[in-house]
Amino acid sequence: MISWKKRLQAGALTLAVLALAAAPYWPWEEPRTVQAVLGGANIPDGPYVALTFDDGPRNSTTTALLDGLAQRGVLATFFVIGENVEGNELLLQRMEGEGHQIGLHTYHHKVLAELNATDFYAEVDELRATLSALLGREDFMLRPPYGMMNAATQARAAAPIILWSVDPEDWSDRNTERQVSLILNDVRDGDIILLHDIYPASVDTALQVVDALLARGFHFVTVEQLFAIRGRTPENGKVYRQLPPE
Ligand code: NI
């Protein structure tokens, strides 16, 4: 016997799959205005920076991070893994509801450059469909695991590819003090910072960096907002590492 809840989920998934078949994922039908992306808010003067978090969500650490970001009124971008979405659906809905951007980091953290077309679509499109069923949208940017890709990856992406320009390699030592000082020494207007929201030390790093950069006058925006602020439209299959001022 299939419960009504399961039937609803199956129905939502079917609708999402139909919607995906009908429309291209990207680019947007029309360039989004800064006001639309920022929710009608006034645009403060820069500098701007985008915090991005890979490999989550993880309930304990991602919840602590979302709490800290909310206290500071700061938005970020999360490139999530499909198998970590399972069981953390409420966390994803919280992220979306609080204005954070959610992107694709494959279903099982695979090196996209090593996959044939079938496996590529299983890794990327399945995650896209899972997120679409959960969040009711399908315009997710892509971050390839390890930043590894090739021309086939770009051709198959059906999404802008977002890399990074500041990387403290937080996975290597879980040392908040070292990570914070590296980021604060490196960061410039338009940078995209890479962290992982699956380590407690990285959450501490992120929140300390937020406090320090807010004090320096930086504004934290999602990657999508950064494009809008720079007046640039993200394109399918194109690779972006940072969005400095012109
Ligand atoms: Ni990763």
Side-chain angles (χ1 to χ4, degrees):
M1 195 67 179
I2 302 172
S3 72
W4 62 269
K5 216 170 173 182
K6 280 253 180 324
R7 281 180 200 210
L8 271 182
Q9 285 170 350
L13 193 61
T14 308
L15 282 177
V17 168
L18 286 175
L20 286 174
Y25 316 123
W26 213 282
W28 300 310
E29 284 171 21
E30 289 172 20
R32 290 178 187 176
T33 63
V34 178
Q35 281 74 18
V37 171
L38 297 183
N42 286 326
I43 306 146
D45 285 338
Y48 302 94
V49 67
L51 270 179
T52 65
F53 297 93
D54 287 7
D55 295 5
R58 181 180 177 206
N59 190 34
S60 57
T61 46
T62 306
T63 298
L65 176 61
L66 289 176
D67 289 347
L69 295 176
Q71 282 165 7
R72 293 159 174 82
V74 160
L75 295 180
T77 304
F78 294 84
F79 292 97
V80 300
I81 296 175
E83 55 188 348
N84 290 345
V85 169
E86 295 170 14
N88 284 317
E89 288 83 357
L90 289 176
L91 208 48
L92 268 289
Q93 286 170 332
R94 177 184 170 185
M95 268 178 203
E96 170 91 1
E98 292 183 352
H100 300 292
Q101 184 180 348
I102 295 166
L104 311 169
H105 199 49
T106 77
Y107 216 97
H108 302 97
H109 208 263
K110 290 283 169 67
V111 176
L112 290 175
E114 294 174 353
L115 301 184
N116 63 29
T118 306
D119 291 341
F120 180 96
Y121 295 122
E123 283 296 323
V124 174
D125 288 17
E126 284 220 9
L127 175 55
R128 187 185 272 125
T130 298
L131 293 178
S132 293
L134 189 62
L135 305 172
R137 57 191 298 167
E138 56 232 22
D139 52 351
F140 304 106
M141 297 182 180
L142 172 66
R143 172 169 285 164
Y146 316 102
M148 291 174 72
M149 64 187 157
N150 57 18
T153 310
Q154 291 182 255
R156 293 167 181 158
I161 297 173
I162 309 300
L163 299 184
W164 55 84
S165 52
V166 177
D167 177 10
E169 300 191 347
D170 59 331
W171 46 268
S172 65
D173 62 358
R174 328 266 174 102
N175 180 331
T176 293
E177 196 182 340
R178 183 195 64 79
Q179 295 166 19
V180 170
S181 104
L182 182 142
I183 294 170
L184 295 181
N185 283 331
D186 276 8
V187 69
R188 300 169 73 172
D189 191 1
D191 269 336
I192 298 175
I193 301 173
L194 169 62
L195 287 167
H196 297 80
D197 55 320
I198 54 173
Y199 307 121
S202 300
V203 174
D204 292 342
T205 294
L207 298 178
Q208 288 184 27
V209 163
V210 168
D211 289 338
L213 291 185
L214 285 176
R216 285 195 202 168
F218 275 80
H219 300 283
F220 287 85
V221 292
T222 66
V223 172
E224 182 181 349
Q225 290 173 337
L226 191 54
F227 274 99
I229 285 164
R230 298 296 186 220
R232 295 179 60 179
T233 301
E235 292 177 44
N236 275 351
K238 272 209 171 181
V239 179
Y240 303 91
R241 292 180 173 81
Q242 61 194 144
L243 292 158
E246 293 287 291

